[in-house]
Amino acid sequence: MTEVPHWLDQLAANAATTLVPPGLRPPARGGRKAAVLALFGDGPYGPDVLLIQRSARGRRHPGQPAFPGGGVDPDDDGPIGAALREAEEETGLDPRGVTVLGTMPELYLSHSDNRVTPVLGWWHDPSAVHAASPDEVDSVERVPVAELTDPGNRVMLRWRAGMAGPAFRVRGMLVWGFTAAVLDGMLRDSGLELPWDRDRVEEIPVEVLNLAARG
């Protein structure tokens, strides 16, 4: 069992006051409740975070890297229960090895009409993970934080006229959109972010955009 690192403790302590970007602020009413698990652990290459690559055949955000997660079911104990359940179903992780540190402010995805609560966790006793739900998940990766903070792996990605956001090229994945925005904020608020060139703007690959449009 490993102790929660100071930077993650600080991130959890400040989670309730994290500023939500205008484009992700929930409306006054409406939207489906959902949750994702932002799970950090101590891996072979230092601190890492658990990400999945969604199946290109799936219905939800096909082909996109993401945090494990999904809709909040009536039987779930709120967003925390939903995030742990979905992570177990998608990656096979043992929830008993996860210390939940808290939740972050709700974020709204207008494309899917989901109100998403990121659940912050520390993997104090990591278990083996794999694509436990092949119809929904193609692969599972523990992505080192050092790769996420590497300025060479960071880029601003433009996917619509006048609209661009942070993205990461890690482990053969292009992490963009909602997941990249959450990671970008977490790295900044935890003090782990390194200076990088936000003027480095790339167009999103057409095949990625076309695949995302199916979701």
Side-chain angles (χ1 to χ4, degrees):
M1 183 178 296
T2 55
E3 292 185 0
V4 180
H6 176 71
W7 60 265
L8 190 55
D9 256 339
Q10 287 297 110
L11 183 62
N14 297 329
T17 57
T18 298
L19 294 177
V20 176
L24 292 173
R25 290 173 186 168
R29 58 181 60 87
R32 294 184 295 268
K33 295 284 188 178
V36 295
L37 181 64
L39 180 60
F40 292 88
D42 190 12
Y45 303 102
D48 58 23
V49 64
L50 185 68
L51 295 181
I52 62 173
Q53 178 92 41
R54 294 208 173 276
S55 170
R57 306 178 304 278
R59 296 170 298 159
R60 295 185 298 167
H61 311 292
Q64 292 186 37
F67 297 109
V72 177
D73 289 347
D75 293 338
D76 290 326
D77 182 19
I80 291 175
L84 292 173
R85 174 184 55 77
E86 287 279 354
E88 182 178 15
E89 291 175 358
E90 292 176 338
T91 74
L93 70 77
D94 185 347
R96 294 173 297 182
V98 176
T99 298
V100 174
L101 302 175
T103 59
M104 305 195 74
E106 193 176 62
L107 305 171
Y108 182 64
L109 296 181
S110 57
H111 175 69
S112 57
D113 192 32
N114 281 323
R115 307 174 73 106
V116 183
T117 298
V119 175
L120 194 60
W122 173 247
W123 214 352
H124 68 260
D125 189 11
S127 51
V129 289
H130 65 287
S133 181
D135 289 339
E136 297 185 14
V137 179
D138 275 344
S139 61
V140 179
E141 291 283 350
R142 295 185 64 169
V143 180
V145 170
E147 293 184 19
L148 292 169
T149 58
D150 184 343
N153 294 337
R154 306 209 58 180
V155 65
M156 292 293 289
L157 199 67
R158 181 164 46 223
W159 61 85
R160 195 178 302 158
M163 183 174 290
F168 303 82
R169 295 187 182 277
V170 288
R171 300 279 153 154
M173 300 185 296
L174 176 62
V175 184
W176 64 287
F178 171 80
T179 304
V182 174
L183 284 170
D184 178 64
M186 287 180 170
L187 293 178
R188 181 181 61 250
D189 294 344
S190 65
L192 296 179
E193 182 182 44
L194 298 176
W196 63 284
D197 186 6
R198 287 183 178 264
D199 291 328
R200 179 186 168 197
V201 181
E202 297 180 6
E203 300 291 334
I204 189 170
V206 173
E207 63 273 16
V208 173
L209 193 58
N210 289 342
L211 193 58
R214 288 179 33 217

